[in-house]
Amino acid sequence: KAGVTQTPRYLIKTRGQQVTLSCSPISGHRSVSWYQQTPGQGLQFLFEYFSETQRNKGNFPGRFSGRQFSNSRSEMNVSTLELGDSALYLCASSLGTGGPYSPLHFGNGTRLTVT
Amino acid sequence: QKEVEQNSGPLSVPEGAIASLNCTYSDRGSQSFFWYRQYSGKSPELIMFIYSNGDKEDGRFTAQLNKASQYVSLLIRDSQPSDSATYLCAVKSNAGNMLTFGGGTRLMVKP
């Protein structure tokens, strides 16, 4: 079974630009979550999508947005990039059902550098 | 503020020893608990999850949960140099699929 696939692996952008990251979940998984990982703040939850609907949202500004398509693939968009947005962005998929017992499986991440 | 606390380490153990990694959490509504391993420059990899009080064993790994003390731990028996990584504790409440992560403990297994 293929794992979670994220593209691209690396991105370099300039302040003020916008960026779109893509995530394909494990086959059969309907929940896709996004996390930001930085050395200072660790892993922080951005949002979760389930059946094309945002189900949970973390404490990030509105510049961070996402969506999910009918095939469960998800995209994350960051507009008006700031230097502090430089981070590893991780996508995780899970079945999304079964209450709290459904583990998350992470993709390889997209390393975003903002200059 | 829901928090998950881990000692950042590094925790250094000799090869073949037992490594003990600990995690405390603040939200009593937490339902399930996960341990992820993250090698430098890589993404987190799920090792184990536990949701009932007590021990859960999988190969060289044992997860222990004590909800009354709000404490979860991971034991690694017969530690190998390849176990050297950062171990992340994550907690999920009953509300949705969101994980709250601790800052991670860096484990170093010396040959």
Side-chain angles (χ1 to χ4, degrees):
Chain A
K1 207 177 208 181
V4 179
T5 303
Q6 289 188 248
T7 57
R9 290 295 309 278
Y10 302 93
L11 266 177
I12 300 175
K13 291 287 188 179
T14 304
R15 269 182 303 175
Q17 288 186 313
Q18 74 164 14
V19 67
T20 299
L21 313 182
S22 180
C23 173
S24 293
I26 292 171
S27 177
H29 285 190
R30 294 165 62 191
S31 168
V32 174
S33 302
W34 290 89
Y35 288 79
Q36 180 195 67
Q37 187 174 31
T38 60
Q41 299 297 318
L43 267 159
Q44 293 187 288
F45 173 75
L46 281 155
F47 29 67
E48 181 214 0
Y49 287 85
F50 181 80
S51 293
E52 301 178 65
T53 301
Q54 188 179 86
R55 191 159 68 171
N56 286 291
K57 188 178 188 306
N59 189 27
F60 278 80
R63 300 185 296 106
F64 292 82
S65 63
R67 58 178 176 168
Q68 186 180 35
F69 303 94
S70 59
N71 60 359
S72 294
R73 192 177 70 85
S74 177
E75 287 182 347
M76 188 190 103
N77 185 274
V78 188
S79 62
T80 319
L81 283 166
E82 301 177 359
L83 293 178
D85 296 333
S86 294
L88 180 65
Y89 289 89
L90 291 159
C91 169
S93 78
S94 73
L95 291 172
T97 57
Y101 314 125
S102 177
L104 272 62
H105 299 271
F106 284 90
N108 288 328
T110 294
R111 171 77 61 186
L112 172 65
T113 302
V114 182
T115 61
Chain B
Q1 181 77 9
K2 300 174 183 177
E3 293 184 349
V4 178
E5 300 287 343
Q6 294 181 257
N7 188 319
S8 61
L11 172 66
S12 183
V13 301
E15 183 175 356
I18 296 175
S20 177
L21 305 162
N22 305 314
C23 172
T24 59
Y25 59 95
S26 63
D27 181 13
R28 284 196 173 274
S30 299
Q31 295 289 310
S32 51
F33 307 86
F34 303 82
W35 284 100
Y36 286 85
R37 176 175 63 198
Q38 187 172 28
Y39 293 111
S40 180
K42 303 294 185 182
S43 64
E45 170 193 10
L46 179 68
I47 297 175
M48 292 190 70
F49 64 96
I50 186 169
Y51 47 84
S52 299
N53 275 327
D55 295 0
K56 179 182 178 183
E57 186 174 318
D58 183 1
R60 296 188 295 112
F61 299 96
T62 299
Q64 299 174 317
L65 175 61
N66 184 325
K67 287 187 178 180
S69 300
Q70 295 176 246
Y71 177 90
V72 58
S73 65
L74 179 71
L75 301 178
I76 306 175
R77 289 181 300 281
D78 189 23
S79 295
Q80 302 296 310
S82 59
D83 295 326
S84 298
T86 295
Y87 289 80
L88 297 160
C89 171
V91 173
K92 187 191 291 190
S93 72
N94 206 22
N97 221 20
M98 186 186 87
L99 290 181
T100 301
F101 281 86
T105 298
R106 190 157 74 93
L107 173 67
M108 296 172 58
V109 181
K110 299 193 170 182

